[in-house]
Amino acid sequence: MAVTVETLDKLERKITLTLPVNVIQSEIDSRLRRLARTVKMDGFRPGKVPMNVVTQRYGYSVHYEVMNDKVGEAFSQAANEAKLRVAGQPRITEKEGSPEGELAFDAVFEVYPEVKISDLSTAQVERMTAEVADSAIDKTLEILRKQRRTFAQRAHDAPAQDGDRVTVDFEGKVDGEAFQGGKADDFQFLVGEGQMLKEFEDAVRGMKTGESRTFPLAFPADYHGKEVAGKQADFMVTVKKIEAAHLPEVNEALAKALGIADASVQGLRADIKKNLEREVKFRLLARNKQAVMDALVAKAELDLPKSSVQAEVDRMIEGARADLKQRGIKDADKAPIPDDMFRPQAERRVRLGLVVAELVRANQLAARPEQIKTHVEELAASYEKPAEVVRWYYSDNRRLAEVEAIVIESNVTDFVLARAQVSDKTISFDDLMAQQG
């Protein structure tokens, strides 16, 4: 097999492959003979179908398979011999005017780029730190108390106030016409918790049981009910029942109800702090990892393989369609989604993947088994039965691969932080928790 490698562009290459016709024909004949031993056809006993009949029926498909296999093998062998790291699938076309007894093919493909990472000691990274203060524990305790609140009916003349649960009948009209979702009986909501639009809450706040009121309500332009979005409605609301909330005391009984081992307030606060610190740790890791990856990409120089970017775009479009389908969008798999929508993000992902892979390769930053085990145990620690969660991770190679990727990113993060110019910045617990992800 003669091999020539040609550079077409920065990353694009061409290999010319030649295959002897007799080798291809020999493999086709061999496969057809094997097929003839097992094939079933009307009018013939198994294994007794004449070769010319088998060839007539299956010759084309076997020829296609053999050509695919042989050309694929020839390409892999040639790429290995030339020590080429192939990105994506080659585009293979048959050449015209091949020498007697041979078939020639052109394989056009891309190779992975050389990644140059400049001096990391000049990279600047802002590293966030945060602490769990008593105020964060207090706020979490309030949320836990609200989750376990009970309600008792207020006196008939007591006005509705924030925190109360009210039961109402209401009807809204736009230009005198009723609209879908604009009417309900015995509807319950909590006043002051943003469950209803502000004008609705403002109207009900201060009303008494048995009282009715009419009020105007302007629907936001982005309101989920498109029929009334951006329009003004007139509502009439009648309060039928007002119930005051009762929050449980922060005491041993609450600690016991929440499953705290020693059923003490001190144990409850310690448990909350431990869980919040775990969440803070993971959020800081994610935030600081992102800052490191941004700095790393800025220090890297490389060309992007178009095939890798396109493959990533295709994956993202597939993910977007799956998301639309999950939301119940009809014909989501046929939704027209332009490549350009995802291309910048796809390019960044491919760039980052190649840069991280090079840093890992050059500095032995692969995930070690004990690192994977530690990370899985940390993920499992917040669950009721951690051992079962650990087993769940180790029972699926895909889940373990996801953990391995996270550990590798952490190794890269630590490697860069140890060399870069790092400025530490304290972020408040509330600001950290408010950030996406």
Side-chain angles (χ1 to χ4, degrees):
M1 182 182 69
V3 180
T4 57
V5 181
E6 201 179 323
T7 299
L8 303 180
D9 196 6
K10 289 176 183 174
L11 298 177
E12 200 169 47
R13 305 285 184 271
K14 183 169 79 171
I15 285 182
T16 299
L17 310 165
T18 55
L19 294 172
V21 172
N22 62 342
V23 170
I24 294 169
Q25 192 56 53
S26 173
E27 181 64 21
I28 291 169
D29 293 342
S30 174
R31 291 192 192 188
L32 285 171
R33 279 196 298 273
R34 282 201 303 273
L35 195 60
R37 290 200 290 269
T38 56
V39 73
K40 294 178 182 178
M41 291 177 71
D42 290 344
F44 299 98
R45 295 202 311 275
K48 299 295 182 181
V49 183
M51 273 302 299
N52 65 328
V53 177
V54 174
T55 302
Q56 190 178 359
R57 175 73 65 87
Y58 297 103
Y60 178 80
S61 59
V62 170
H63 182 272
Y64 180 80
E65 285 173 14
V66 170
M67 290 298 290
N68 263 359
D69 291 351
K70 288 296 179 185
V71 173
E73 286 170 16
F75 174 74
S76 295
Q77 188 180 335
N80 285 336
E81 282 180 15
K83 294 183 172 57
L84 297 171
R85 293 172 60 232
V86 178
Q89 293 296 318
R91 301 190 306 278
I92 296 175
T93 53
E94 188 172 345
K95 291 183 77 168
E96 291 182 10
S98 300
E100 185 73 25
E102 289 187 337
L103 289 174
F105 301 86
D106 280 341
V108 177
F109 58 98
E110 286 182 293
V111 294
Y112 282 111
E114 181 188 357
V115 179
K116 294 177 184 172
I117 302 171
S118 59
D119 187 4
L120 289 175
S121 67
T122 61
Q124 296 187 337
V125 181
E126 186 180 67
R127 178 170 54 194
M128 294 289 188
T129 57
E131 290 185 357
V132 176
D134 283 344
S135 58
I137 298 171
D138 293 340
K139 195 176 285 187
T140 305
L141 263 175
E142 278 306 295
I143 292 168
L144 291 170
R145 290 176 72 203
K146 278 186 176 181
Q147 288 171 351
R148 283 157 182 77
R149 62 189 153 192
T150 55
F151 293 90
Q153 192 161 343
R154 281 190 179 276
H156 201 75
D157 59 349
Q161 59 190 47
D162 284 352
D164 287 350
R165 183 169 70 183
V166 295
T167 304
V168 301
D169 293 345
F170 66 80
E171 183 174 15
K173 293 182 178 180
V174 174
D175 298 329
E177 296 290 328
F179 57 90
Q180 191 175 359
K183 185 178 189 298
D185 294 330
D186 295 326
F187 183 84
Q188 284 188 340
F189 72 95
L190 291 159
V191 181
E193 300 211 354
Q195 295 175 356
M196 306 294 282
L197 291 172
K198 184 178 182 300
E199 292 97 324
F200 202 106
E201 285 201 337
D202 289 347
V204 171
R205 190 183 288 108
M207 288 179 69
K208 298 174 182 176
T209 303
E211 192 177 345
S212 296
R213 179 177 291 175
T214 58
F215 62 95
L217 186 149
F219 285 104
D222 59 354
Y223 189 67
H224 60 82
K226 290 185 171 56
E227 186 187 348
V228 293
K231 296 180 180 176
Q232 180 155 314
D234 293 306
F235 271 86
M236 187 177 89
V237 62
T238 301
V239 175
K240 299 174 81 172
K241 186 162 65 173
I242 301 172
E243 297 167 287
H246 171 71
L247 274 63
E249 295 295 318
V250 179
N251 54 22
E252 286 78 5
L254 179 62
K256 188 176 181 181
L258 289 165
I260 302 305
D262 64 0
S264 69
V265 173
Q266 187 179 355
L268 173 57
R269 291 184 69 88
D271 188 72
I272 290 170
K273 185 173 185 180
K274 187 174 77 173
N275 284 317
L276 291 179
E277 283 176 342
R278 186 183 297 113
E279 179 65 18
V280 163
K281 179 185 175 182
F282 280 123
R283 282 182 177 248
L284 285 174
L285 277 173
R287 167 66 184 74
N288 292 333
K289 181 181 76 179
Q290 186 63 48
V292 162
M293 296 304 168
D294 288 345
L296 190 54
V297 165
K299 286 287 173 187
E301 195 181 312
L302 68 156
D303 296 312
L304 293 183
K306 294 170 192 169
S307 54
S308 299
V309 173
Q310 189 57 50
E312 187 60 38
V313 168
D314 293 343
R315 266 195 296 274
M316 293 172 79
I317 288 175
E318 203 56 45
R321 287 205 172 105
D323 185 50
L324 291 173
K325 191 173 183 180
Q326 204 169 10
R327 291 192 210 169
I329 306 295
K330 193 180 175 186
D331 294 329
D333 53 337
K334 296 172 188 168
I337 302 176
D339 285 13
D340 290 350
M341 184 187 288
F342 294 109
R343 193 163 295 282
Q345 197 179 347
E347 286 178 354
R348 179 183 161 75
R349 283 189 185 180
V350 171
R351 186 183 304 278
L352 186 57
L354 291 169
V355 173
V356 167
E358 174 58 24
L359 205 65
V360 170
R361 185 200 64 76
N363 300 281
Q364 293 79 50
L365 300 177
R368 300 188 302 277
E370 63 270 22
Q371 288 182 306
I372 294 172
K373 184 170 180 284
T374 299
H375 191 79
V376 167
E377 287 170 351
E378 281 186 352
L379 291 171
S382 61
Y383 290 88
E384 200 174 325
K385 296 179 179 176
E388 286 184 14
V389 178
V390 170
R391 278 196 296 274
W392 180 80
Y393 271 102
Y394 275 91
S395 67
D396 189 325
N397 285 334
R398 280 177 302 179
R399 293 185 201 121
L400 271 186
E402 287 171 7
V403 174
E404 183 181 8
I406 292 167
V407 171
I408 288 171
E409 287 177 349
S410 294
N411 289 347
V412 168
T413 300
D414 292 342
F415 181 86
V416 174
L417 287 175
R419 288 154 181 79
Q421 295 177 22
V422 180
S423 57
D424 286 309
K425 180 183 176 183
T426 302
I427 184 174
S428 75
F429 174 84
D430 288 343
D431 286 346
L432 178 66
M433 300 308 279
Q435 289 181 357
Q436 289 297 315

